Amino acid sequence: MIIVIMGPPGVGKGTYAKGLEERLGIPHISTGDLLRAAVDEGTELGLEVRKILEKGKLVPDDDMMILVSKRIQKEDAQKGFILDGFPRTVPQAEMLDRLFDKLNKKIDYIMDFFLDEAGLIQRLSNRRQCPQCGRIYNLINIKPKNDLLCDDCGIELMQRDDDHSEVIQKRLLVYKDKTQPLIHYYENRKGYLKIEAINVDDVLDEIMELIKQ
Ligand code: AMP
């Protein structure tokens, strides 16, 4: 099973992808997480992309393609995977199609999540993440049990550097300009689903029902 998760920043792609990872037993591959890990580890790619991430811009398509191509060919992704945050541009989608042709793979579902802009901004500015396990919370609707500590690790939650208001605005503009055109690229494909990103558990239950059918 190969699933592509699409949608604007703040729609909750990571949360839905994690939920599907648990339910389907296939890895959640977030390109944002891969890039942030590269920055933290100070790899060659990390040094190159740090400033791009801070500004809310996009990493070049060729770098992204190398990163994704390596990741999806690892052992744990052989039964399937959930791509979160990739593709993000039409050229990336075209490169992914070419890679899948070569690897004899196909996308089963393209899940395109949407929410109004006020909702996105509210979610982004209230998002917090555990620096240890990566679990995502929201101070409005997915609150941690104990103050601002991770429910699982007890560690203080962090706000992502790019979840501050100026960068949020930039990321939303970049989404409209570069990523929204992808909707036309995919919308007539078998497996394309447009999903309103409301209550996480209800939405995940509905998706699982649909997949089982
Ligand atoms: P995300 O965690 O998906 O919100 O991604 C965080 C940041 O990583 C984005 O704002 C981009 O700077 C970068 N990024 C993630 N995925 C991609 C991609 N497919 N293409 C280019 N840049 C990306």
Side-chain angles (χ1 to χ4, degrees):
M1 168 87 61
I2 296 181
I3 298 174
V4 167
I5 304 236
M6 283 174 53
V11 81
K13 295 188 291 296
T15 306
Y16 290 105
K18 274 259 166 289
L20 288 172
E21 174 181 61
E22 276 166 24
R23 288 166 167 82
L24 295 168
I26 51 176
H28 161 211
I29 300 178
S30 151
T31 46
D33 286 348
L34 292 177
L35 292 167
R36 283 184 289 275
V39 171
D40 290 345
E41 287 161 20
T43 63
E44 202 179 318
L45 176 71
L47 295 175
E48 197 189 310
V49 304
R50 192 173 60 86
K51 287 212 161 58
I52 301 179
L53 263 63
E54 277 170 5
K55 290 189 189 131
K57 292 182 173 176
L58 292 184
V59 172
D61 293 334
D62 291 336
D63 290 335
M64 293 311 303
M65 201 57 223
I66 294 168
L67 190 72
V68 169
S69 167
K70 278 195 195 148
R71 179 63 188 89
I72 65 172
Q73 293 187 66
K74 286 198 175 162
E75 184 64 37
D76 69 333
Q78 294 319 301
K79 288 210 177 97
F81 47 85
I82 302 155
L83 271 183
D84 156 17
F86 185 94
R88 234 174 173 106
T89 64
V90 171
Q92 289 181 11
E94 290 167 345
M95 285 193 252
L96 187 67
D97 279 343
R98 286 199 290 275
L99 177 69
F100 278 8
D101 278 348
K102 222 165 64 188
L103 300 176
N104 208 11
K105 292 187 189 294
K106 72 168 183 54
I107 303 174
D108 296 289
Y109 292 101
I110 299 144
M111 299 183 186
D112 183 13
F113 289 90
F114 69 97
L115 191 69
D116 61 88
E117 190 159 315
L120 297 175
I121 293 172
Q122 197 219 46
R123 284 189 187 180
L124 286 167
S125 45
N126 288 291
R127 174 160 64 183
R128 299 291 184 275
Q129 189 166 18
C130 172
Q132 184 153 304
C133 70
R135 186 165 166 187
I136 300 163
Y137 298 87
N138 184 290
L139 301 183
I140 308 280
N141 60 355
I142 316 175
K143 284 164 81 87
K145 289 195 192 100
N146 181 342
D147 294 322
L148 295 183
L149 301 180
C150 175
D151 291 351
D152 299 325
C153 313
I155 288 191
E156 194 176 340
L157 300 175
M158 307 275 289
Q159 185 169 28
R160 267 172 51 175
D161 289 339
D162 58 355
D163 278 347
H164 296 282
S165 58
E166 328 80 78
V167 190
I168 288 176
Q169 293 300 341
K170 172 74 188 165
R171 287 163 65 207
L172 289 171
L173 283 176
V174 169
Y175 170 78
K176 279 187 197 143
D177 186 32
K178 306 274 191 221
T179 310
Q180 225 166 21
L182 263 184
I183 295 176
H184 301 295
Y185 188 82
Y186 282 133
E187 68 190 345
N188 294 320
R189 290 225 188 157
K190 193 166 171 275
Y192 175 85
L193 306 172
K194 195 145 189 84
I195 304 168
E196 186 168 11
I198 38 170
N199 183 297
V200 176
D201 288 324
D202 292 348
V203 170
L204 284 170
D205 287 346
E206 278 172 33
I207 294 174
M208 288 308 293
E209 270 308 306
L210 198 132
I211 290 179
K212 275 185 214 146
Q213 285 166 22

PDB file of all heavy atoms in Angstrom, residues 13 30-33 35-36 52-53 56-59 64 84-88 92 160 162 171, ligand 1:
ATOM      1  N   LYS A  13      -1.131  16.939   8.303  1.00  0.00           N
ATOM      2  CA  LYS A  13      -0.645  15.792   7.513  1.00  0.00           C
ATOM      3  C   LYS A  13       0.105  14.778   8.393  1.00  0.00           C
ATOM      4  O   LYS A  13      -0.121  13.584   8.293  1.00  0.00           O
ATOM      5  CB  LYS A  13       0.306  16.269   6.391  1.00  0.00           C
ATOM      6  CG  LYS A  13      -0.358  17.134   5.343  1.00  0.00           C
ATOM      7  CD  LYS A  13       0.578  17.411   4.182  1.00  0.00           C
ATOM      8  CE  LYS A  13       1.753  18.320   4.485  1.00  0.00           C
ATOM      9  NZ  LYS A  13       1.398  19.706   4.859  1.00  0.00           N
ATOM     10  N   SER A  30       8.092  11.273   6.428  1.00  0.00           N
ATOM     11  CA  SER A  30       7.849  12.712   6.344  1.00  0.00           C
ATOM     12  C   SER A  30       9.122  13.383   5.834  1.00  0.00           C
ATOM     13  O   SER A  30      10.175  13.281   6.475  1.00  0.00           O
ATOM     14  CB  SER A  30       7.486  13.245   7.739  1.00  0.00           C
ATOM     15  OG  SER A  30       7.872  14.599   7.866  1.00  0.00           O
ATOM     16  N   THR A  31       9.028  14.054   4.700  1.00  0.00           N
ATOM     17  CA  THR A  31      10.233  14.701   4.170  1.00  0.00           C
ATOM     18  C   THR A  31      10.670  15.855   5.085  1.00  0.00           C
ATOM     19  O   THR A  31      11.857  16.112   5.232  1.00  0.00           O
ATOM     20  CB  THR A  31      10.032  15.187   2.722  1.00  0.00           C
ATOM     21  OG1 THR A  31       8.784  15.856   2.624  1.00  0.00           O
ATOM     22  CG2 THR A  31      10.099  14.036   1.750  1.00  0.00           C
ATOM     23  N   GLY A  32       9.709  16.513   5.731  1.00  0.00           N
ATOM     24  CA  GLY A  32      10.058  17.577   6.684  1.00  0.00           C
ATOM     25  C   GLY A  32      10.892  16.985   7.822  1.00  0.00           C
ATOM     26  O   GLY A  32      11.916  17.552   8.212  1.00  0.00           O
ATOM     27  N   ASP A  33      10.465  15.822   8.363  1.00  0.00           N
ATOM     28  CA  ASP A  33      11.216  15.182   9.454  1.00  0.00           C
ATOM     29  C   ASP A  33      12.607  14.762   8.970  1.00  0.00           C
ATOM     30  O   ASP A  33      13.587  14.914   9.690  1.00  0.00           O
ATOM     31  CB  ASP A  33      10.488  13.923   9.973  1.00  0.00           C
ATOM     32  CG  ASP A  33       9.262  14.272  10.820  1.00  0.00           C
ATOM     33  OD1 ASP A  33       9.105  15.451  11.188  1.00  0.00           O
ATOM     34  OD2 ASP A  33       8.468  13.348  11.099  1.00  0.00           O
ATOM     35  N   LEU A  35      14.390  16.130   6.637  1.00  0.00           N
ATOM     36  CA  LEU A  35      15.221  17.333   6.489  1.00  0.00           C
ATOM     37  C   LEU A  35      15.641  17.887   7.844  1.00  0.00           C
ATOM     38  O   LEU A  35      16.795  18.260   8.041  1.00  0.00           O
ATOM     39  CB  LEU A  35      14.471  18.403   5.689  1.00  0.00           C
ATOM     40  CG  LEU A  35      14.226  18.080   4.218  1.00  0.00           C
ATOM     41  CD1 LEU A  35      13.214  19.048   3.605  1.00  0.00           C
ATOM     42  CD2 LEU A  35      15.527  18.129   3.422  1.00  0.00           C
ATOM     43  N   ARG A  36      14.694  17.924   8.797  1.00  0.00           N
ATOM     44  CA  ARG A  36      15.043  18.443  10.140  1.00  0.00           C
ATOM     45  C   ARG A  36      16.092  17.543  10.797  1.00  0.00           C
ATOM     46  O   ARG A  36      17.014  18.033  11.462  1.00  0.00           O
ATOM     47  CB  ARG A  36      13.788  18.573  11.019  1.00  0.00           C
ATOM     48  CG  ARG A  36      12.941  19.807  10.669  1.00  0.00           C
ATOM     49  CD  ARG A  36      11.767  19.982  11.612  1.00  0.00           C
ATOM     50  NE  ARG A  36      10.759  18.965  11.398  1.00  0.00           N
ATOM     51  CZ  ARG A  36       9.792  19.045  10.477  1.00  0.00           C
ATOM     52  NH1 ARG A  36       9.693  20.092   9.690  1.00  0.00           N
ATOM     53  NH2 ARG A  36       8.902  18.079  10.349  1.00  0.00           N
ATOM     54  N   ILE A  52      17.054  27.377   4.207  1.00  0.00           N
ATOM     55  CA  ILE A  52      15.825  27.254   3.396  1.00  0.00           C
ATOM     56  C   ILE A  52      14.638  26.957   4.313  1.00  0.00           C
ATOM     57  O   ILE A  52      13.572  27.567   4.228  1.00  0.00           O
ATOM     58  CB  ILE A  52      15.979  26.131   2.344  1.00  0.00           C
ATOM     59  CG1 ILE A  52      17.156  26.425   1.414  1.00  0.00           C
ATOM     60  CG2 ILE A  52      14.676  25.904   1.587  1.00  0.00           C
ATOM     61  CD1 ILE A  52      17.413  25.369   0.349  1.00  0.00           C
ATOM     62  N   LEU A  53      14.844  26.014   5.237  1.00  0.00           N
ATOM     63  CA  LEU A  53      13.767  25.654   6.172  1.00  0.00           C
ATOM     64  C   LEU A  53      13.383  26.841   7.050  1.00  0.00           C
ATOM     65  O   LEU A  53      12.202  27.102   7.262  1.00  0.00           O
ATOM     66  CB  LEU A  53      14.215  24.481   7.051  1.00  0.00           C
ATOM     67  CG  LEU A  53      13.763  23.092   6.607  1.00  0.00           C
ATOM     68  CD1 LEU A  53      14.330  22.730   5.256  1.00  0.00           C
ATOM     69  CD2 LEU A  53      14.143  22.041   7.613  1.00  0.00           C
ATOM     70  N   GLY A  56      11.097  29.121   5.325  1.00  0.00           N
ATOM     71  CA  GLY A  56       9.818  28.574   4.859  1.00  0.00           C
ATOM     72  C   GLY A  56       9.783  28.344   3.359  1.00  0.00           C
ATOM     73  O   GLY A  56       8.723  28.191   2.766  1.00  0.00           O
ATOM     74  N   LYS A  57      10.984  28.348   2.727  1.00  0.00           N
ATOM     75  CA  LYS A  57      11.024  28.103   1.272  1.00  0.00           C
ATOM     76  C   LYS A  57      11.118  26.608   1.002  1.00  0.00           C
ATOM     77  O   LYS A  57      11.237  25.806   1.932  1.00  0.00           O
ATOM     78  CB  LYS A  57      12.244  28.798   0.681  1.00  0.00           C
ATOM     79  CG  LYS A  57      12.166  30.301   0.729  1.00  0.00           C
ATOM     80  CD  LYS A  57      13.394  30.861   0.079  1.00  0.00           C
ATOM     81  CE  LYS A  57      13.313  32.372  -0.062  1.00  0.00           C
ATOM     82  NZ  LYS A  57      14.556  32.889  -0.605  1.00  0.00           N
ATOM     83  N   LEU A  58      11.153  26.226  -0.282  1.00  0.00           N
ATOM     84  CA  LEU A  58      11.245  24.801  -0.605  1.00  0.00           C
ATOM     85  C   LEU A  58      12.684  24.405  -0.939  1.00  0.00           C
ATOM     86  O   LEU A  58      13.419  25.162  -1.569  1.00  0.00           O
ATOM     87  CB  LEU A  58      10.346  24.458  -1.794  1.00  0.00           C
ATOM     88  CG  LEU A  58       8.835  24.541  -1.569  1.00  0.00           C
ATOM     89  CD1 LEU A  58       8.085  24.069  -2.799  1.00  0.00           C
ATOM     90  CD2 LEU A  58       8.396  23.747  -0.346  1.00  0.00           C
ATOM     91  N   VAL A  59      13.045  23.195  -0.534  1.00  0.00           N
ATOM     92  CA  VAL A  59      14.344  22.613  -0.862  1.00  0.00           C
ATOM     93  C   VAL A  59      14.303  22.219  -2.350  1.00  0.00           C
ATOM     94  O   VAL A  59      13.246  21.798  -2.850  1.00  0.00           O
ATOM     95  CB  VAL A  59      14.581  21.386   0.066  1.00  0.00           C
ATOM     96  CG1 VAL A  59      15.821  20.611  -0.328  1.00  0.00           C
ATOM     97  CG2 VAL A  59      14.633  21.854   1.525  1.00  0.00           C
ATOM     98  N   MET A  64      15.455  16.751  -3.057  1.00  0.00           N
ATOM     99  CA  MET A  64      14.330  16.028  -2.458  1.00  0.00           C
ATOM    100  C   MET A  64      14.176  14.646  -3.065  1.00  0.00           C
ATOM    101  O   MET A  64      13.895  13.672  -2.378  1.00  0.00           O
ATOM    102  CB  MET A  64      13.019  16.820  -2.656  1.00  0.00           C
ATOM    103  CG  MET A  64      12.937  18.109  -1.909  1.00  0.00           C
ATOM    104  SD  MET A  64      13.363  17.984  -0.159  1.00  0.00           S
ATOM    105  CE  MET A  64      12.227  16.752   0.436  1.00  0.00           C
ATOM    106  N   ASP A  84       4.526  11.792   3.389  1.00  0.00           N
ATOM    107  CA  ASP A  84       3.924  12.999   3.964  1.00  0.00           C
ATOM    108  C   ASP A  84       4.807  14.195   3.616  1.00  0.00           C
ATOM    109  O   ASP A  84       5.953  14.263   4.042  1.00  0.00           O
ATOM    110  CB  ASP A  84       3.799  12.771   5.481  1.00  0.00           C
ATOM    111  CG  ASP A  84       3.746  14.050   6.305  1.00  0.00           C
ATOM    112  OD1 ASP A  84       3.494  15.132   5.744  1.00  0.00           O
ATOM    113  OD2 ASP A  84       3.959  13.960   7.531  1.00  0.00           O
ATOM    114  N   GLY A  85       4.271  15.096   2.793  1.00  0.00           N
ATOM    115  CA  GLY A  85       5.043  16.305   2.444  1.00  0.00           C
ATOM    116  C   GLY A  85       5.817  16.162   1.145  1.00  0.00           C
ATOM    117  O   GLY A  85       6.587  17.043   0.779  1.00  0.00           O
ATOM    118  N   PHE A  86       5.624  15.067   0.468  1.00  0.00           N
ATOM    119  CA  PHE A  86       6.266  14.842  -0.828  1.00  0.00           C
ATOM    120  C   PHE A  86       5.298  14.053  -1.713  1.00  0.00           C
ATOM    121  O   PHE A  86       4.745  13.073  -1.234  1.00  0.00           O
ATOM    122  CB  PHE A  86       7.569  14.056  -0.670  1.00  0.00           C
ATOM    123  CG  PHE A  86       8.327  13.912  -1.972  1.00  0.00           C
ATOM    124  CD1 PHE A  86       9.313  14.817  -2.314  1.00  0.00           C
ATOM    125  CD2 PHE A  86       8.018  12.881  -2.849  1.00  0.00           C
ATOM    126  CE1 PHE A  86       9.992  14.691  -3.519  1.00  0.00           C
ATOM    127  CE2 PHE A  86       8.692  12.761  -4.049  1.00  0.00           C
ATOM    128  CZ  PHE A  86       9.680  13.653  -4.385  1.00  0.00           C
ATOM    129  N   PRO A  87       5.100  14.411  -2.967  1.00  0.00           N
ATOM    130  CA  PRO A  87       5.648  15.561  -3.658  1.00  0.00           C
ATOM    131  C   PRO A  87       4.994  16.871  -3.224  1.00  0.00           C
ATOM    132  O   PRO A  87       3.872  16.885  -2.750  1.00  0.00           O
ATOM    133  CB  PRO A  87       5.353  15.257  -5.125  1.00  0.00           C
ATOM    134  CG  PRO A  87       4.172  14.350  -5.112  1.00  0.00           C
ATOM    135  CD  PRO A  87       4.257  13.565  -3.848  1.00  0.00           C
ATOM    136  N   ARG A  88       5.726  17.951  -3.455  1.00  0.00           N
ATOM    137  CA  ARG A  88       5.256  19.285  -3.082  1.00  0.00           C
ATOM    138  C   ARG A  88       5.271  20.231  -4.278  1.00  0.00           C
ATOM    139  O   ARG A  88       4.892  21.391  -4.148  1.00  0.00           O
ATOM    140  CB  ARG A  88       6.171  19.845  -1.999  1.00  0.00           C
ATOM    141  CG  ARG A  88       5.470  20.305  -0.740  1.00  0.00           C
ATOM    142  CD  ARG A  88       6.548  20.678   0.243  1.00  0.00           C
ATOM    143  NE  ARG A  88       6.079  21.281   1.444  1.00  0.00           N
ATOM    144  CZ  ARG A  88       6.028  20.681   2.635  1.00  0.00           C
ATOM    145  NH1 ARG A  88       6.347  19.422   2.757  1.00  0.00           N
ATOM    146  NH2 ARG A  88       5.649  21.357   3.693  1.00  0.00           N
ATOM    147  N   GLN A  92       8.343  17.476  -8.840  1.00  0.00           N
ATOM    148  CA  GLN A  92       8.576  16.348  -7.923  1.00  0.00           C
ATOM    149  C   GLN A  92       7.610  15.203  -8.219  1.00  0.00           C
ATOM    150  O   GLN A  92       7.993  14.026  -8.201  1.00  0.00           O
ATOM    151  CB  GLN A  92       8.397  16.786  -6.461  1.00  0.00           C
ATOM    152  CG  GLN A  92       9.502  17.695  -5.947  1.00  0.00           C
ATOM    153  CD  GLN A  92       9.313  18.094  -4.488  1.00  0.00           C
ATOM    154  OE1 GLN A  92       8.479  17.567  -3.765  1.00  0.00           O
ATOM    155  NE2 GLN A  92      10.114  19.064  -4.043  1.00  0.00           N
ATOM    156  N   ARG A 160       8.222  24.431  16.601  1.00  0.00           N
ATOM    157  CA  ARG A 160       9.132  24.408  15.450  1.00  0.00           C
ATOM    158  C   ARG A 160       9.547  25.818  15.064  1.00  0.00           C
ATOM    159  O   ARG A 160       8.743  26.742  15.127  1.00  0.00           O
ATOM    160  CB  ARG A 160       8.428  23.742  14.255  1.00  0.00           C
ATOM    161  CG  ARG A 160       8.694  22.261  14.166  1.00  0.00           C
ATOM    162  CD  ARG A 160       7.855  21.593  13.133  1.00  0.00           C
ATOM    163  NE  ARG A 160       7.872  22.218  11.805  1.00  0.00           N
ATOM    164  CZ  ARG A 160       7.263  21.711  10.755  1.00  0.00           C
ATOM    165  NH1 ARG A 160       6.590  20.571  10.864  1.00  0.00           N
ATOM    166  NH2 ARG A 160       7.292  22.313   9.594  1.00  0.00           N
ATOM    167  N   ASP A 162       9.905  27.092  12.250  1.00  0.00           N
ATOM    168  CA  ASP A 162       9.129  27.652  11.137  1.00  0.00           C
ATOM    169  C   ASP A 162       7.640  27.795  11.462  1.00  0.00           C
ATOM    170  O   ASP A 162       6.839  28.081  10.593  1.00  0.00           O
ATOM    171  CB  ASP A 162       9.356  26.847   9.837  1.00  0.00           C
ATOM    172  CG  ASP A 162       9.001  25.381   9.964  1.00  0.00           C
ATOM    173  OD1 ASP A 162       8.670  24.942  11.082  1.00  0.00           O
ATOM    174  OD2 ASP A 162       9.037  24.680   8.932  1.00  0.00           O
ATOM    175  N   ARG A 171       5.080  30.200   4.265  1.00  0.00           N
ATOM    176  CA  ARG A 171       4.818  28.800   3.901  1.00  0.00           C
ATOM    177  C   ARG A 171       3.452  28.657   3.234  1.00  0.00           C
ATOM    178  O   ARG A 171       3.289  27.868   2.308  1.00  0.00           O
ATOM    179  CB  ARG A 171       4.913  27.909   5.137  1.00  0.00           C
ATOM    180  CG  ARG A 171       6.362  27.735   5.599  1.00  0.00           C
ATOM    181  CD  ARG A 171       6.454  27.229   7.018  1.00  0.00           C
ATOM    182  NE  ARG A 171       5.925  25.905   7.171  1.00  0.00           N
ATOM    183  CZ  ARG A 171       5.408  25.444   8.312  1.00  0.00           C
ATOM    184  NH1 ARG A 171       5.345  26.210   9.386  1.00  0.00           N
ATOM    185  NH2 ARG A 171       4.944  24.214   8.383  1.00  0.00           N
TER     186      ARG A 171
HETATM  187  P1  AMP B   1       6.866  19.934   6.715  1.00  0.00           P
HETATM  188  O1  AMP B   1       7.344  19.288   7.983  1.00  0.00           O
HETATM  189  O2  AMP B   1       6.271  18.951   5.749  1.00  0.00           O
HETATM  190  O3  AMP B   1       5.972  21.110   6.981  1.00  0.00           O
HETATM  191  O4  AMP B   1       8.166  20.520   5.973  1.00  0.00           O
HETATM  192  C1  AMP B   1       8.982  21.500   6.592  1.00  0.00           C
HETATM  193  C2  AMP B   1       9.838  22.192   5.557  1.00  0.00           C
HETATM  194  O5  AMP B   1      10.690  21.242   4.917  1.00  0.00           O
HETATM  195  C3  AMP B   1       9.088  22.847   4.414  1.00  0.00           C
HETATM  196  O6  AMP B   1       8.622  24.141   4.771  1.00  0.00           O
HETATM  197  C4  AMP B   1      10.157  22.895   3.333  1.00  0.00           C
HETATM  198  O7  AMP B   1      11.099  23.911   3.595  1.00  0.00           O
HETATM  199  C5  AMP B   1      10.875  21.570   3.541  1.00  0.00           C
HETATM  200  N1  AMP B   1      10.269  20.473   2.716  1.00  0.00           N
HETATM  201  C6  AMP B   1       9.608  19.384   3.175  1.00  0.00           C
HETATM  202  N2  AMP B   1       9.208  18.596   2.150  1.00  0.00           N
HETATM  203  C7  AMP B   1       9.631  19.209   1.020  1.00  0.00           C
HETATM  204  C8  AMP B   1       9.521  18.915  -0.365  1.00  0.00           C
HETATM  205  N3  AMP B   1       8.850  17.826  -0.808  1.00  0.00           N
HETATM  206  N4  AMP B   1      10.082  19.772  -1.246  1.00  0.00           N
HETATM  207  C9  AMP B   1      10.756  20.863  -0.838  1.00  0.00           C
HETATM  208  N5  AMP B   1      10.882  21.214   0.443  1.00  0.00           N
HETATM  209  C10 AMP B   1      10.334  20.401   1.387  1.00  0.00           C
END
